[in-house]
Amino acid sequence: MGSVLGVEQSGKATTMEPADFARMLAEEISLAKQPELRVLPPLPEVAVTEIFLPVDSHIPRDYVTDDHLRLEVYFQLANADNEDDLQELTERIGKLWGTPMPLKMVQFINLIEMKIYGKSLGISKIVADKPHILMDWDVAARTLQFLTSFLVDERDRDRFSIDSENGQITLRGMGLLAGDAQVAKLRSWLQIFDRCNREMREAESRTASSPFPGAGGQSS
């Protein structure tokens, strides 16, 4: 089985669930193994990520029947700051109104999760524009190349086309997929990118704070 850090992947990684694959990043990413991380430009910062995809996502009236409570659920979900908060809210909603949740509700939560990842990565907008999906993401080409190297399917990596001058990424052909498929793919990709970015920055921070030259996980 190939290393998760390699561009060429093989074996079980190709069928691994996104969450399991993301957890492997924490084990693999370190400045000792990846010295090129030291020179990767940081990601941009944005206040919010807007998402416009052709998917039916809302809280159905027959799931949360009380109008006041439904608006409160909308408000709390929309203001979730991180994955942990969103997970806690999702579990609480399931306990109060039952599981499995309606697909439209699940998709609404998926979009909120994507917005959390998008803000962390510095993506200001994701919009379907057939036959493609466009992302307003002023990311450096080298950083994007590194992040997309974690996608196990070469066909997925090949979808990314960068326009550095305009700060835009084109996901070629993604707009031809059904809305639910667009959400599923983008959500898994953004989750992997977010995990990778966090581990990368934490590794940088550990190295910067070390009082010993050359420290960063290497042992003698």
Side-chain angles (χ1 to χ4, degrees):
M1 176 177 174
S3 169
V4 69
L5 286 175
V7 172
E8 296 299 328
Q9 303 289 340
S10 62
K12 295 182 180 179
T14 57
T15 58
M16 189 176 296
E17 290 295 322
D20 294 331
F21 183 74
R23 280 193 292 270
M24 290 180 64
L25 298 179
E27 301 173 4
E28 289 284 345
I29 294 178
S30 71
L31 290 178
K33 294 180 180 178
Q34 295 286 303
E36 65 270 24
L37 298 188
R38 299 177 187 274
V39 295
L40 284 179
L43 292 169
E45 295 184 4
V46 297
V48 67
T49 299
E50 297 179 294
I51 299 179
F52 303 96
L53 297 176
V55 60
D56 192 357
S57 60
H58 63 272
I59 304 175
R61 288 180 177 272
D62 58 0
Y63 183 63
V64 181
T65 56
D66 184 277
D67 290 344
H68 175 76
L69 289 177
R70 191 168 58 257
L71 289 174
E72 179 65 21
V73 173
Y74 271 122
F75 177 81
Q76 291 192 25
L77 286 172
N79 285 277
D81 289 329
N82 53 61
E83 283 181 277
D84 291 339
D85 287 349
L86 183 61
Q87 179 65 28
E88 182 180 342
L89 281 169
T90 301
E91 292 175 357
R92 191 185 313 161
I93 292 167
K95 289 178 181 178
L96 288 172
W97 287 285
T99 55
M101 294 180 181
L103 178 59
K104 296 173 183 179
M105 177 75 182
V106 172
Q107 290 293 50
F108 182 76
I109 293 172
N110 286 340
L111 290 179
I112 296 295
E113 185 178 6
M114 288 171 60
K115 289 183 178 183
I116 291 172
Y117 296 144
K119 180 180 178 181
S120 174
L121 294 165
I123 302 170
S124 60
K125 184 185 293 185
I126 301 173
V127 57
D129 185 22
K130 279 189 176 181
H132 311 303
I133 287 178
L134 305 178
M135 294 197 299
D136 290 347
W137 191 13
D138 194 16
V139 60
R142 285 184 295 125
T143 302
L144 179 66
Q145 183 181 25
F146 177 77
L147 293 174
T148 56
S149 72
F150 289 88
L151 302 181
V152 297
D153 192 329
E154 183 178 1
R155 293 169 297 181
D156 290 339
R157 298 194 297 271
D158 288 343
R159 289 186 184 273
F160 287 76
S161 176
I162 187 169
D163 179 356
S164 297
E165 184 175 346
N166 295 306
Q168 191 170 76
I169 306 297
T170 299
L171 300 176
R172 293 175 294 201
M174 278 287 290
L176 298 176
L177 301 179
D180 290 346
Q182 293 178 23
V183 170
K185 272 189 173 290
L186 281 168
R187 176 173 168 266
S188 67
W189 294 349
L190 295 180
Q191 183 187 52
I192 289 171
F193 294 167
D194 181 63
R195 293 288 197 281
C196 178
N197 180 57
R198 281 192 285 168
E199 291 297 330
M200 181 170 61
R201 299 311 167 195
E202 286 175 9
E204 287 179 342
S205 178
R206 287 193 297 270
T207 299
S209 63
S210 173
F212 303 105
Q218 290 178 313
S219 59
S220 57

